[in-house]
Amino acid sequence: MTEISKIVEDTAVELLRIAVTELPTEYVKVLEEAMEETEGAVGKAQLTNILENVVIARENSKPMCQDTGIVAFMVKLGDGFPLRSEVREILIKATRRATEEVPLRPNAVDMFKGNTRDNVGLNGHVPIIYFDLVEGDDLELIALPKGGGSTNIAAHRMLKPGLGMKGVKQFVIEALSNAGSLGCPPYFVGVGIGGGEDLCMKLAKEALLKPFRVRSEYQKVAAIEAELLEKVNELGIGAMGLGEGPTALDLHVKMAARHPASLPVGVVISCWALRHARAVISSDGEVEIDKSV
Amino acid sequence: MDYHLKTPVPEDEIRKLKMGDLVYVTGTVITARDEAHLKALELHEKGEKLPVDFKDVGVFHCGPIMKKVDGEWTVIAAGPTTSARMEIFQDNFIETFRPALIIGKGGMGDRTSKACQEYGCAYGAFTGGAALLAARGIKKVREVHWLEELGMPECLWVYDVEDFGPMIITIDTHGNNMTQDVKEQVTARMEKIMAEMEG
Ligand code: SF4
């Protein structure tokens, strides 16, 4: 194994460890504020428990939630980075190692043979790896392990284009109302609009990781984000669905062009434990990890 | 009100609990998710004996992360899983095995609520994702069953717990169901928001 492969593998293991054990400090701050502001004892208790749990996780380097999810990586591979297709094998190996070392819960289930026990499985599809080819010499890696509870409340619909943006917004509200208590609110919400039946879901998932509480660079999209975030909170689902405290901490929208006859919309929701960690590895093996967001 | 319960919990103590109460449990809590519920009910139907007794103890909807350290199982993280998945057989389970408490997250529906009322069981909502808070209350892993067959998240883990909590009683024996109430309010608000939505 070359030295750079080893660096990528070690970094990927470390990113999974950070993702599941350290909630980004910006989220913690907002959860603390929410806890202060929540008046009802039931909601306050939920947020207090979450925060206390987050501290134990960080101090003991243990997974904050037992559902460490299906492992996903988002990879941006620079033209000048010394590795190419071997990155896939490296990330698979890192997933196996993290399962042992962190540890992660074995969550990859083969429908015929049962749990694969190492979070890897079936025809190279899990861990989920999104590759993007980019300019430059660096490799950017994001680890995004996502739990089952909040994954199950994702929503997808091919709307009639005539319903327009109003229809899109109504669908998002409906999706969150249906999500209710099931995915451990307060939520983070990603909305993908356009592109096709698959791309809208991918955009929605990527939208989760847009800079926290920074509105879209497109004014019209920014306005939709702000409106939807407010309305989602008006639903009053509250922390853990008990009707008190915030329903959603943030919401982002990503858009692509659509076919004239289609209006695909995807809604991807994360629980309060939006676990992710990002690193940039330079071509000579320097690693930079950002833990704030 | 705050309650510190000890298993086996007598039915009249469960009947004292009201929606919104905070509860801590000391004694026995057994994990069971979808497959463990199914298997337990199947075995019972066939007249076979279960390796555990759910009577008057806590049944925890949880698929923990466990690790063997020096040959002994230890809990790494053990938060609740979404209870709604168990709604399809929870009432049957409560009637058959008569547990004192169902512990999980996200609440449960009418069928469970009716069974709780009838057989003297309550539902305690543990904060979802708070897996280490839960693990802190688990003092010992007493037994494990069906591990080979069902795997780590789905099998039965029998825990000795101490002041395991806090849980919020969202379903009591008096027909109250907090999650159901919030759900109805949320649906009403959704309809209003949808109707007023502009393009
Ligand atoms: S929804 Fe999130 S916090 Fe809740 S149990 Fe699943 S992974 Fe954990």
Side-chain angles (χ1 to χ4, degrees):
Chain A
M1 185 190 252
T2 62
E3 200 184 334
I4 192 86
S5 324
K6 177 84 174 102
I7 291 172
V8 174
E9 183 186 313
D10 289 348
T11 306
V13 174
E14 179 63 5
L15 288 182
L16 283 170
R17 191 194 63 75
I18 294 170
V20 302
T21 60
E22 300 181 30
L23 195 67
T25 46
E26 288 203 16
Y27 301 173
V28 174
K29 224 174 79 206
V30 167
L31 282 166
E32 276 166 357
E33 283 162 21
M35 192 264 288
E36 294 296 329
E37 283 164 22
T38 301
E39 277 169 17
V42 170
K44 218 181 186 52
Q46 300 309 311
L47 294 166
T48 309
N49 292 348
I50 289 174
L51 285 163
E52 198 175 328
N53 187 71
V54 164
V55 171
I56 308 177
R58 192 183 301 267
E59 282 176 358
N60 299 285
S61 193
K62 281 185 177 177
M64 60 188 89
C65 178
Q66 77 288 342
D67 185 356
T68 47
I70 285 274
V71 172
F73 290 102
M74 292 169 170
V75 184
K76 286 196 177 125
L77 186 52
D79 292 331
F81 194 77
L83 302 173
R84 308 306 293 170
S85 59
E86 56 270 50
V87 172
R88 179 181 295 280
E89 267 316 308
I90 294 172
L91 294 178
I92 289 174
K93 213 167 146 205
T95 302
R96 287 205 173 96
R97 260 183 64 198
T99 303
E100 277 292 315
E101 290 172 22
V102 175
L104 306 177
R105 194 176 72 184
N107 274 338
V109 177
D110 176 327
M111 294 278 285
F112 298 115
K113 296 188 194 140
N115 199 315
T116 65
R117 290 165 199 257
D118 61 0
N119 277 314
V120 174
L122 247 46
N123 311 320
H125 290 303
V126 168
I128 306 168
I129 306 175
Y130 297 100
F131 278 104
D132 202 355
L133 298 175
V134 298
E135 285 178 5
D137 299 333
D138 296 341
L139 171 73
E140 186 195 278
L141 264 186
I142 298 176
L144 177 69
K146 194 167 182 301
S150 73
T151 294
N152 289 344
I153 50 176
H156 175 269
R157 194 175 289 166
M158 304 301 287
L159 295 182
K160 294 198 170 53
L163 293 172
M165 203 44 95
K166 180 175 164 184
V168 170
K169 291 192 284 188
Q170 285 175 325
F171 178 59
V172 174
I173 297 298
E174 189 189 321
L176 267 297
S177 168
N178 289 339
S181 64
L182 299 179
C184 295
Y187 293 131
F188 294 82
V189 185
V191 180
I193 307 171
E197 73 279 39
D198 51 353
L199 185 59
C200 67
M201 290 308 284
K202 179 162 178 264
L203 290 174
K205 192 157 181 177
E206 288 171 358
L208 285 178
L209 295 187
K210 287 186 76 181
F212 185 50
R213 294 201 162 173
V214 177
R215 298 278 64 90
S216 170
E217 59 270 44
Y218 307 104
Q219 217 185 336
K220 285 187 177 161
V221 179
I224 293 170
E225 288 178 346
E227 180 189 349
L228 280 175
L229 183 57
E230 191 186 318
K231 298 229 154 99
V232 166
N233 276 305
E234 268 172 36
L235 286 172
I237 294 166
M240 292 302 139
L242 299 173
E244 295 173 353
T247 297
L249 298 177
D250 204 5
L251 182 149
H252 294 280
V253 175
K254 273 193 127 180
M255 293 186 73
R258 59 174 179 82
H259 184 281
S262 318
L263 175 46
V265 188
V267 181
V268 172
I269 301 172
S270 170
C271 48
W272 62 264
L274 174 48
R275 288 154 293 177
H276 64 100
R278 186 190 321 251
V280 176
I281 307 172
S282 72
S283 53
D284 49 17
E286 292 276 326
V287 182
E288 224 179 279
I289 296 178
D290 179 8
K291 292 187 182 182
S292 70
V293 283
Chain B
M1 281 275 288
D2 287 14
Y3 288 92
H4 292 260
L5 303 175
K6 277 205 169 60
T7 70
V9 190
E11 191 178 325
D12 60 325
E13 276 192 39
I14 292 295
R15 290 198 179 273
K16 273 188 214 148
L17 303 175
K18 292 219 170 55
M19 181 171 83
D21 284 340
L22 276 185
V23 166
Y24 299 80
V25 178
T26 298
T28 305
V29 162
I30 306 172
T31 68
R33 311 193 350 156
D34 314 54
E35 299 201 21
H37 276 73
L38 272 176
K39 191 175 156 88
L41 287 167
E42 264 170 33
L43 286 182
H44 179 81
E45 233 164 70
K46 284 193 223 148
E48 288 176 35
K49 205 172 140 28
L50 294 194
V52 295
D53 187 2
F54 295 109
K55 179 135 182 32
D56 298 332
V57 303
V59 173
F60 187 14
H61 297 155
C62 167
I65 305 180
M66 306 290 295
K67 200 173 179 170
K68 244 190 182 154
V69 181
D70 302 330
E72 297 248 344
W73 282 110
T74 53
V75 185
I76 304 290
T81 191
T82 307
S83 299
R85 293 197 313 272
M86 270 54 81
E87 178 69 10
I88 45 175
F89 31 61
Q90 196 72 72
D91 52 353
N92 192 359
F93 188 96
I94 293 172
E95 182 182 350
T96 310
F97 300 115
R98 307 295 294 272
L101 274 174
I102 304 292
I103 303 162
K105 76 169 174 89
M108 300 193 74
D110 283 342
R111 283 174 55 180
T112 302
S113 177
K114 280 209 185 77
C116 281
Q117 216 173 339
E118 192 155 344
Y119 302 105
C121 181
Y123 177 88
F126 199 94
T127 303
L132 300 173
L133 215 56
R136 199 168 62 181
I138 299 169
K139 294 300 163 201
K140 204 179 148 217
V141 182
R142 208 190 316 147
E143 297 161 29
V144 55
H145 303 280
W146 305 344
L147 176 61
E148 268 311 302
E149 187 188 341
L150 301 183
M152 185 193 293
E154 294 284 345
C155 69
L156 300 172
W157 295 98
V158 184
Y159 295 141
D160 280 341
V161 300
E162 203 179 300
D163 269 332
F164 180 86
M167 290 164 269
I168 294 204
I169 297 300
T170 66
I171 296 177
D172 60 19
T173 54
H174 315 288
N176 296 307
N177 187 342
M178 193 187 285
T179 325
Q180 219 42 29
D181 294 353
V182 175
K183 211 172 172 175
E184 278 160 28
Q185 290 159 9
V186 168
T187 307
R189 288 187 208 118
M190 173 196 73
E191 280 162 7
K192 183 162 173 283
I193 293 171
M194 300 270 262
E196 290 169 358
M197 186 78 79
E198 286 166 15

